[in-house]
């Protein structure tokens, strides 16, 4: 059998002194068989001395070490070549991700995913260990580190992270029998320095559902806190039989009837807000009074058998409240105090708020066209001329009214002869005055173009005609934007308008004198009533009523009662958080044509226009109501909305008076003693001021509560 010896790897001797760096790189490429891309900034000389021949891999490591010693770095590329460049810009240059298989002196980038420790705190620990040319960055979203450095340093950082990225914390759950979880957790948090990340190295969380506390942190600290919680729970068993629970968010008046029903005690009637009652006396005076309602507080009673007995255990128990401090007082055994206290803590939570914005758009277009011809023929009884007149309800001015005023004036005149002179005088009767006033009102109330003539027919006859033509086009665009804040499941309303008197009755006294009228005040304007209810997933149920009303004027000249225009929507809808929904609307196109004419004469072609009066009116109405509810979960959301509204009002004032500080800023600073939500900034003299409106993305959005 013939044995073949393995080939001996090629050996290279490396011994250079003050050699050009580019020539050194060229020799390394020839010996190692690798491709090097040389940056134009690579300049200088190098010196390397070895006392023995080197293999190809050893030669490559010595080459990389020489570059590193001279402020250069070889960065691996995705194509398998190396890019040689100054080391001070290596961290910001593209490089291969991952250090496995890379030479220890090559520059690479590595991503480390952390399991236990926080990425921000890990950066503070690792930054001194990274080389001067390297960099370390924390990715808070994925809780990971991005490190760019030499491969040998990357391996050292990996080994260090494997030792420090461990969870050595202990977790324990302490169930409580007598005390409340929230009170014990609050006391322990203050003891360890404010919860997670505190000086005590432990965090304490209250679990109201199971009346227990969860403790996490260093094992020794967790054991001490657990023993302390058990001791406090044991001491609570021998506590007083009367306990005061101070509420932080809920209203004691609303929680009290619930607790009383559970223990079988007669619920205390809650005091509701009473609205003032306005009455009008016989003399027309208005009196405002607030009705007085007595609150009956039921005497404490023992728990009745059945459900109440299973809830409160054995022994008498009673609950009441103290309005001055918004507190619930529980008198009873330790078991009853524990159960009722746990219920109160679950109900006493901070409720979210809802911003409800509405847009009411009303666009109307009314076009009218009218053409009418009236004529009058008449004379004295002795003239023999017949009487004829045309009179239409849609024509103005009314020729019959004018003719009646003229005839009354002629009849009221008397002619007398004094010293051979004829003198005409007027008696000025009341009927004549009324007819003249009616004629003047008819003429003044006419619109459009008016033309006519009057001529004599014979000696005592008269012929007159009036032609009236008018065309009108009225357009209106009304935009209203009411909005308001309210708590979740709490009704709120906003009204911008007037209170007008509306007659509800009229009567006389027994002697048929001293007439008096009863009136009722009615709101007219823009009114929004809403009650939001936040559901799971961010959906909002809205019980909503939107009303837009206005005064149209009196019914007629003889009946002065007012006509009210009213647009009202009352509905219940479900809307997602921040979404706009079309609540309702009306598209109305109403056209009315009126033609009044003299029979037969009005049907004659062309000439028949003289014996008729026509009118045409078309009214288009487009009414739309949009609604947008937004859940306000944090103080940042409320501040952002306040800044947006304040900025708009401030911008409008700057548009009107750009040369002075807005009076809104002055009022907030001087009257309220607070800083404006938007700090004023110096404005150039030629600046164009626009309303300030912060976009919703300018503030962090809170995640929905699951």
């Amino acid at each position: 059998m013939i044995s073949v010896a393995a080939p001996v790897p090629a050996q290279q001797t490396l011994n250079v002194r003050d050699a050009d760096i580019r020539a050194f790189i060229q020799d390394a490429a020839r010996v190692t068989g690798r491709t090097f891309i040389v940056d134009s900034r690579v300049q200088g000389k190098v010196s390397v001395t070895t006392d023995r021949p080197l293999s190809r891999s050893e030669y490559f490591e010595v080459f990389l070490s020489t570059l590193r010693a001279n402020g250069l770095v070889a960065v691996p590329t995705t194509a398998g070549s190396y890019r040689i460049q100054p080391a001070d810009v290596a961290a910001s240059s593209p490089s291969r991700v991952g250090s496995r298989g890379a030479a220890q002196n090559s520059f690479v980038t590595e991503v480390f995913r952390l399991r236990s420790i926080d990425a921000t705190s890990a950066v503070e620990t690792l930054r001194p260990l990274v080389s001067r040319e390297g960099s370390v960055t924390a990715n808070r979203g994925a809780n990971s580190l991005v490190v760019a450095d030499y491969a040998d340093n990357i391996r050292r950082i990996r080994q260090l992270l494997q030792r420090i990225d461990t969870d050595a914390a202990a977790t324990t759950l302490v169930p409580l029998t007598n005390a409340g979880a929230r009170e014990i957790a609050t006391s322990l948090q203050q003891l360890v320095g404010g919860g997670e990340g505190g000086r005590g190295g432990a965090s304490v969380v209250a679990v109201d559902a199971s009346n227990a506390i969860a403790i996490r942190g260093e094992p020794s600290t967790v054991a001490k806190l657990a023993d302390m919680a058990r001791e406090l729970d044991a001491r609570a068993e021998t506590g007083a039989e009367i306990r005061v629970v101070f509420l932080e968010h809920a209203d004691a008046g609303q929680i009290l009837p619930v607790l009383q029903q559970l223990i079988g005690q007669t619920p205390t009637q809650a005091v509701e807000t009473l609205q003032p009652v306005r009455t009008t006396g016989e003399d027309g005076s208005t009196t405002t009074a607030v009705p007085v309602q007595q609150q009956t507080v039921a005497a404490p009673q023992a728990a009745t058998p059945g459900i109440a007995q299973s809830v409160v255990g054995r022994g008498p128990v009673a609950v009441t409240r103290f309005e001055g401090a918004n507190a619930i007082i529980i008198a009873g055994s330790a078991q009853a105090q524990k159960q009722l206290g746990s219920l109160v803590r679950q109900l006493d939570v901070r409720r979210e708020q809802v911003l409800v914005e509405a847009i009411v758009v009303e666009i109307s277009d009314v076009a009218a066209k009218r053409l009418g011809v009236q004529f009058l023929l008449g004379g004295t009884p002795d003239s023999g001329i017949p009487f004829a007149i045309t009179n239409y309800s849609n024509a103005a001015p009314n020729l019959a009214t004018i003719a009646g005023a003229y005839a009354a004036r002629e009849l009221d005149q008397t002619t007398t002869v004094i010293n051979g002179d004829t003198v005409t005088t007027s008696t000025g009767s009341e009927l004549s005055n009324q007819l003249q006033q009616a004629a003047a009102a008819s003429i003044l109330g006419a619109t459009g173009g008016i033309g006519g003539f009057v001529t004599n027919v014979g000696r005592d006859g008269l012929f007159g005609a009036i032609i009236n033509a008018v065309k009108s086009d009225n357009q209106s665009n009304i935009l209203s934007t009411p909005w308001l804040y309210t708590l979740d499941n709490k009704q709120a309303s906003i009204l911008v308008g007037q209170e007008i008197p509306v007659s509800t009755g009229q009567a006389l006294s027994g002697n048929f004198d001293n007439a008096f009228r009863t009136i009722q005040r009615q709101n007219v304007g823009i009114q929004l009533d809403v009650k939001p209810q936040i559901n799971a997933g961010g959906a909002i149920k809205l019980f909503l009523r939107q009303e837009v009303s206005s005064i149209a004027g009196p019914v007629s000249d003889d009946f002065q009662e007012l006509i009210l225009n009213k647009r009202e929507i009352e509905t219940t809808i479900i809307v997602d958080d921040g979404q706009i929904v079309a609540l309702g609307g009306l598209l109305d196109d109403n056209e009315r044509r009126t033609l009044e004419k003299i029979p037969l004469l009005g049907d004659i072609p062309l000439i028949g226009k003289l014996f008729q009066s026509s009118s045409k009116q078309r009214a288009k109405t487009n009414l739309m109501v949009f609604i947008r509810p937004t859940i306000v979960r944090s103080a940042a959301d409320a501040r952002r909305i306040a800044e947006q509204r304040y900025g708009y009002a401030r911008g409008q004032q700057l548009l009107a008076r750009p040369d002075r500080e807005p009076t809104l800023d002055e009022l907030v600073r001087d009257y309220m003693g607070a800083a404006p939500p938007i700090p004023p900034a110096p404005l150039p003299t030629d600046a164009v001021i626009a309303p300030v409106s912060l976009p919703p993305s300018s503030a962090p959005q809170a995640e929905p509560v699951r």
Side-chain angles (χ1 to χ4, degrees):
M1 182 176 181
I2 302 174
S3 60
V4 180
V8 179
Q11 303 290 319
Q12 300 290 336
T13 301
L14 183 58
N15 194 353
V16 295
R17 185 181 300 275
D18 293 332
D20 184 70
I21 185 65
R22 291 180 173 269
F24 178 66
I25 296 173
Q26 185 176 0
D27 291 342
R30 178 181 55 81
V31 172
T32 61
R34 300 177 184 272
T35 302
F36 299 104
I37 303 172
V38 184
D39 193 278
S40 60
R41 293 169 291 182
V42 176
Q43 302 291 337
K45 297 181 180 298
V46 296
S47 298
V48 183
T49 302
T50 61
D51 57 353
R52 64 179 180 86
L54 303 175
S55 65
R56 180 179 296 180
S57 59
E58 291 176 340
Y59 189 98
F60 184 61
E61 288 295 340
V62 172
F63 168 72
L64 295 179
S65 300
T66 304
L67 294 178
R68 183 173 179 179
N70 287 271
L72 302 175
V73 65
V75 181
T77 65
T78 56
S81 60
Y82 286 83
R83 185 177 61 253
I84 300 177
Q85 64 185 33
D88 54 355
V89 295
S92 59
S93 300
S95 61
R96 192 181 73 179
V97 178
S99 60
R100 300 190 182 276
Q104 63 180 2
N105 287 296
S106 61
F107 204 90
V108 295
T109 303
E110 186 77 15
V111 178
F112 299 97
R113 300 190 181 276
L114 306 177
R115 299 185 301 271
S116 301
I117 62 176
D118 181 61
T120 304
S121 60
V123 168
E124 299 177 358
T125 304
L126 298 179
R127 184 173 284 117
L129 305 179
V130 178
S131 64
R132 181 171 55 87
E133 297 83 5
S135 67
V136 56
T137 307
N139 183 4
R140 296 182 179 88
N143 195 33
S144 59
L145 297 178
V146 180
V147 184
D149 205 349
Y150 293 99
D152 58 348
N153 208 17
I154 290 289
R155 296 187 183 101
R156 184 165 63 99
I157 292 175
R158 180 185 294 109
Q159 295 174 0
L160 179 62
L161 285 176
Q162 289 176 354
R163 295 190 177 185
I164 66 175
D165 188 23
T166 57
D167 187 8
T171 303
T172 184
L173 184 66
V174 181
L176 304 178
T177 305
N178 305 305
R182 190 179 302 182
E183 290 83 356
I184 299 297
T186 302
S187 303
L188 296 182
Q189 285 175 355
Q190 295 177 356
L191 183 63
V192 299
E196 186 174 359
R199 298 185 302 272
S203 59
V204 184
V205 178
V207 185
D208 290 331
S210 59
N211 194 35
I213 59 172
I215 309 174
R216 176 180 174 81
E218 298 178 357
S220 59
T221 305
V222 170
K224 293 179 181 179
L225 294 178
D227 293 339
M228 188 176 299
R230 296 186 184 95
E231 183 178 356
L232 293 175
D233 183 50
R235 290 177 177 270
E237 184 178 3
T238 59
E241 294 184 355
I242 299 179
R243 179 185 177 189
V244 179
V245 181
F246 293 94
L247 303 181
E248 299 178 359
H249 308 288
D251 185 7
Q254 297 179 353
I255 294 182
L256 179 61
V258 177
L259 301 180
Q260 290 175 334
Q261 289 179 359
L262 289 177
I263 65 175
Q265 182 179 335
T266 303
T268 302
Q269 183 179 5
V271 179
E272 299 180 354
T273 303
L274 300 177
Q275 299 295 335
V277 178
R278 185 180 289 107
T279 57
T280 304
E282 297 183 357
D283 57 352
S285 61
T286 302
T287 304
T288 303
V290 178
V292 179
Q293 178 179 353
Q294 299 291 337
Q295 178 184 5
T296 304
V297 180
Q301 300 177 1
T304 57
I307 298 178
Q309 189 71 21
S310 63
V311 170
V312 302
R314 298 181 178 180
V317 61
V319 292
T320 185
R321 67 166 175 152
F322 177 56
E323 297 183 14
N326 192 31
I328 294 291
I329 303 175
I330 305 174
S333 63
Q335 182 181 1
Q337 292 184 10
K338 171 192 170 183
Q339 294 180 352
L340 295 179
S342 176
L343 176 60
V344 170
R345 286 189 296 271
Q346 295 181 50
L347 297 176
D348 185 24
V349 295
R350 180 173 179 175
R351 296 159 62 184
E352 295 177 334
Q353 300 181 92
V354 179
L355 170 66
V356 181
E357 301 168 284
I359 299 178
V360 182
V361 184
E362 184 176 359
I363 304 173
S364 63
D365 186 4
V366 180
K369 183 170 61 176
R370 185 169 63 242
L371 175 63
V373 180
Q374 306 173 73
F375 68 87
L376 170 69
L377 176 65
T380 60
D382 299 335
S383 63
I385 298 176
F387 173 78
I389 188 172
T390 59
N391 186 21
Y392 306 111
S393 61
N394 58 356
N398 190 278
L399 183 58
T401 303
I402 299 175
Y406 176 78
R409 186 179 67 86
E410 293 295 329
L411 294 175
D412 284 347
Q413 293 180 353
T414 57
T415 303
T416 57
V417 179
I418 301 177
N419 298 327
D421 297 330
T422 302
V423 179
T424 302
T425 59
S426 176
T427 60
S429 65
E430 181 178 355
L431 177 61
S432 176
N433 294 335
Q434 291 178 356
L435 292 176
Q436 291 179 11
Q437 292 177 2
S442 178
I443 295 174
L444 295 176
T447 58
I450 304 172
F453 66 90
V454 178
T455 183
N456 291 324
V457 179
R459 185 171 64 87
D460 296 328
L462 187 68
F463 179 79
I466 294 179
I467 301 175
N468 174 231
V470 60
K471 181 178 181 181
S472 62
D473 191 358
N474 299 326
Q475 295 182 353
S476 63
N477 186 356
I478 302 175
L479 180 66
S480 305
T481 56
W483 62 277
L484 74 162
Y485 264 123
T486 182
L487 281 175
D488 176 28
N489 205 30
K490 189 70 174 180
Q491 186 172 356
S493 63
I494 181 174
L495 170 65
V496 180
Q498 297 175 318
E499 278 193 350
I500 63 171
V502 177
S503 298
T504 58
Q506 186 174 0
L508 298 175
S509 64
N511 298 327
F512 299 98
D513 58 358
N514 192 20
F516 67 92
R517 176 180 299 176
T518 58
I519 62 173
Q520 180 181 358
R521 298 284 178 175
Q522 184 169 344
N523 295 328
V524 174
I526 301 173
Q527 185 170 359
L528 175 62
D529 300 331
V530 63
K531 181 180 180 181
Q533 180 179 332
I534 302 176
N535 300 335
I540 305 172
K541 180 185 288 186
L542 289 177
F543 306 90
L544 187 139
R545 177 180 174 271
Q546 172 73 61
E547 176 184 322
V548 180
S549 56
S550 61
I551 302 175
V555 176
S556 63
D557 295 337
D558 299 331
F559 191 58
Q560 296 298 319
E561 294 297 333
L562 298 178
I563 299 176
L564 302 181
N565 297 325
K566 180 179 289 188
R567 280 81 70 195
E568 180 180 353
I569 295 177
E570 185 171 357
T571 182
T572 302
I573 59 175
I574 296 179
V575 191
D576 290 335
D577 180 21
Q579 298 299 315
I580 299 177
V581 62
L583 191 63
L586 171 67
L587 296 176
D588 184 29
D589 191 353
N590 187 5
E591 183 174 342
R592 175 179 296 180
R593 298 171 181 261
T594 304
L595 177 62
E596 299 182 10
K597 62 182 179 179
I598 304 299
L600 300 179
L601 297 178
D603 297 330
I604 301 175
L606 299 179
I607 301 178
K609 296 291 184 181
L610 300 176
F611 300 97
Q612 63 181 232
S613 176
S614 62
S615 64
K616 176 183 177 181
Q617 183 174 355
R618 184 176 184 179
K620 294 183 177 180
T621 303
N622 188 350
L623 174 65
M624 292 290 177
V625 179
F626 303 92
I627 203 77
R628 178 177 182 260
T630 304
I631 301 176
V632 182
R633 295 186 172 90
S634 62
D637 292 344
R639 182 170 57 253
R640 174 181 57 85
I641 295 173
E643 291 175 354
Q644 185 182 24
R645 299 296 190 268
Y646 187 92
Y648 178 79
R650 183 175 182 270
Q652 294 298 316
Q653 290 190 346
L654 285 175
L655 281 174
R657 294 289 301 273
D659 56 339
R660 59 163 295 174
E661 181 184 12
T663 55
L664 186 59
D665 289 350
E666 297 178 358
L667 189 64
V668 171
R669 185 181 59 255
D670 300 337
Y671 178 73
M672 293 185 175
I678 301 178
L683 300 173
T685 56
D686 58 346
V688 178
I689 308 301
V692 180
S693 181
L694 300 179
S697 59
S698 61
Q701 300 293 328
E703 293 293 332
V705 179
R706 302 296 182 187

